[in-house]
Amino acid sequence: MKIATALAVALLTAACASTSAPLDTTRLSAVYVQDFTSSEPTACTTADVDLTHAEAQAFFKRARQLDARTLSDNYPVAPCQIEGTLKAGKRLCDWQISAAATGVIRCEGDVWFFACDDCGDLFASTTSTPARKP
């Protein structure tokens, strides 16, 4: 529960740093999946968010960009995620995609939040629903 609270606080804090200009996700390149993390390794595993580099790029192309408040008010929090790097233009950025089909991209102080309601095929190996509302 502490992790979910910390994530919610981080999302709201990041909202202050969030950029108002949308990110052109059709121009993302060099999307690389680096790592998997889980605060509940028995409940949320790599199988819950097992995306390839190409699938991670597809997630960001399909996902809707949202503000942090809309994301935290309307989408569940998952205890596991994949993370990596990508290029947005000439900027090297960090990103995360959770098992709840939500994500974030951070580039040099700019932050964009995402939710993908039409990405079920990317998460097709998911057999359970690890996401939960805090």
Side-chain angles (χ1 to χ4, degrees), residues 35-51:
D35 203 4
F36 167 83
T37 59
S38 180
S39 61
E40 296 179 24
T42 57
C44 196
T45 69
T46 54
D48 294 310
V49 63
D50 189 22
L51 305 182

Side-chain angles (χ1 to χ4, degrees), residues 3-48:
I3 298 296
T5 303
L7 181 59
V9 169
L11 282 174
L12 291 175
T13 302
C16 297
S18 183
T19 183
S20 58
L23 179 65
D24 182 1
T25 58
T26 63
R27 301 180 70 107
L28 299 178
S29 63
V31 178
Y32 180 73
V33 178
Q34 242 176 307
D35 203 4
F36 167 83
T37 59
S38 180
S39 61
E40 296 179 24
T42 57
C44 196
T45 69
T46 54
D48 294 310

